[in-house]
Amino acid sequence: MAPFDGALRPPTFADFAGQKKTVERLQIMAAAARRRGDPLDHILLSGPPGLGKTTLAFILGHEMSKHVRVTSGPILEKASDLAGLLTNLEEGDILFIDEIHRLPKVVEEYLYSAMEDFRLDILIDQGPNTRSVRLPLQRFTLIGATTRSGLLSAPMRSRFTLQTRLDYYDIPTLVGIIQRSCQLLKTRINNSGSREIAIRARGTPRIANNLIYFARDYAQERADSEISGPVAAAALELLGIDASGLNDMDKRILNVIAENYKGGPVGINTIAVAVGEEAETLEEVNESFLIQEGYLQRTQQGRVLTTKGYGALAKLKL
């Protein structure tokens, strides 16, 4: 968990900025469930990393006055791992599974009956001694989070009552988030400093908050402890983040496509080998931003550099 999470995570819907449609849907579900005295229905939150999926799960726990248990898909390797979590949930508790698209298939299949019928059928022993043990469960809420909803199986996806996507934040909303974070951190920042960080935060609150920490340190050591526009710009340039939010890895990706593959098309695995990074990391962290901002296009043949991508490389060579 990032260092800012506990201190800066919004505790209520009133404190949560942006994602208006998703927030409204969740508020309606929570209010209706409270009025009926029922647990929340199952919810799937999708979207790029750092946009608030975990935060919204904790806010729902606060709204429902229930505990939130947090785990992730890769951790749940066996059915017994899942059983241990589910059998310890109380009525109405929330189980939050991050990276739910990475659940092993065998664990996912056990979840089906747990989500629909609130029971687990566990197989014990093997061969002729195999027997099934049925474990009743308390009614719980599963909140799944994924950065790649397309990798979820259709049976899993269909068991979520609400499927909602979080999108990148606009600059004014990020400015408000940055100012709130600085207030909580007792860090002085002016409007131009907030905007400078927001512009370079790739539409992502988690990145914005991480940048605040370094900008605060930079202002403390190189300025008068206030994050102004020029101070924020100098701090983030030192981190290799330019005025468009492109970081060093983004620039390497664009340069490899332009120089080594004549602008593409080129496959993501080939790019990953060329830049020395995992293909999955590039897809989740870098490629989504580059495509969203118009630097890359994804085609059936591979990734292709756009006119804007060439323009960004030309600026680097000036």
Side-chain angles (χ1 to χ4, degrees):
M1 188 174 289
F4 63 84
D5 279 357
L8 305 183
R9 194 186 294 282
T12 66
F13 283 125
D15 297 306
F16 189 92
Q19 311 295 343
K20 290 184 178 179
K21 288 184 178 179
T22 289
V23 167
E24 185 176 5
R25 293 164 185 159
L26 297 177
Q27 285 177 313
I28 289 172
M29 287 185 69
R34 285 199 309 271
R35 188 182 298 275
R36 293 191 307 267
D38 290 337
L40 274 170
D41 291 326
H42 305 305
I43 297 167
L44 178 66
L45 302 173
S46 63
L51 300 186
K53 296 184 287 292
T54 306
T55 296
L56 286 171
F58 277 102
I59 289 174
L60 285 168
H62 178 269
E63 292 288 317
M64 300 299 295
S65 300
K66 297 296 181 181
H67 294 108
V68 179
R69 314 290 182 186
V70 179
T71 187
S72 68
I75 292 175
L76 301 174
E77 297 178 345
K78 306 183 296 294
S80 58
D81 298 331
L82 179 66
L85 277 174
L86 293 178
T87 53
N88 282 303
L89 294 176
E90 298 177 2
E91 179 81 7
D93 278 356
I94 293 172
L95 176 62
F96 177 74
I97 303 181
D98 200 8
E99 297 185 274
I100 195 169
H101 61 275
R102 295 178 63 185
L103 271 177
K105 186 66 176 175
V106 63
V107 178
E108 177 184 316
E109 289 173 351
Y110 275 105
L111 259 181
Y112 296 163
S113 61
M115 294 172 72
E116 286 191 325
D117 304 318
F118 301 106
R119 60 176 171 79
L120 271 180
D121 294 313
I122 301 291
L123 292 177
I124 297 178
D125 290 335
Q126 295 179 347
N129 296 322
T130 300
R131 64 187 189 278
S132 177
V133 176
R134 176 163 294 182
L135 300 176
L137 302 172
Q138 299 284 355
R139 292 189 305 164
F140 71 97
T141 298
L142 176 64
I143 299 181
T146 177
T147 55
R148 307 179 71 183
S149 58
L151 296 183
L152 281 175
S153 68
M156 171 60 80
R157 195 182 298 113
S158 67
R159 283 170 167 80
F160 290 100
T161 301
L162 175 67
Q163 302 173 34
T164 186
R165 179 177 174 81
L166 279 65
D167 294 313
Y168 288 113
Y169 289 65
D170 58 29
I171 299 301
T173 303
L174 276 178
V175 166
I177 291 170
I178 290 164
Q179 290 174 342
R180 174 186 177 273
S181 295
C182 286
Q183 186 177 10
L184 292 172
L185 293 171
K186 296 180 171 58
T187 297
R188 289 188 296 133
I189 189 168
N190 62 24
N191 289 334
S192 63
S194 300
R195 183 168 179 79
E196 194 67 45
I197 293 175
I199 288 171
R200 301 177 190 236
R202 305 163 74 93
T204 307
R206 181 184 296 163
I207 293 175
N209 284 324
N210 279 330
L211 297 181
I212 287 169
Y213 278 100
F214 187 78
R216 178 188 63 177
D217 293 346
Y218 186 93
Q220 182 179 318
E221 295 301 314
R222 300 284 177 87
D224 61 354
S225 294
E226 180 181 49
I227 304 174
S228 63
V231 168
L236 303 187
E237 289 289 348
L238 188 59
L239 290 177
I241 302 170
D242 68 16
S244 300
L246 295 173
N247 60 31
D248 287 338
M249 181 56 74
D250 297 326
K251 297 165 192 172
R252 288 174 66 186
I253 292 169
L254 297 179
N255 191 63
V256 160
I257 296 173
E259 298 293 333
N260 296 13
Y261 302 100
K262 299 179 181 179
V266 57
I268 190 65
N269 291 320
T270 302
I271 297 171
V273 171
V275 300
E277 185 56 87
E278 293 292 329
E280 185 174 337
T281 301
L282 295 185
E283 284 186 304
E284 291 187 5
V285 177
N286 301 95
E287 187 184 64
S288 59
F289 173 75
L290 293 173
I291 292 174
Q292 176 90 9
E293 295 299 309
Y295 295 101
L296 280 184
Q297 277 187 332
R298 181 189 292 174
T299 69
Q300 290 184 340
Q301 291 76 33
R303 280 61 176 175
V304 177
L305 206 60
T306 65
T307 302
K308 186 175 181 180
Y310 278 111
L313 288 175
K315 289 179 183 178
L316 295 177
K317 294 175 182 178
L318 291 178

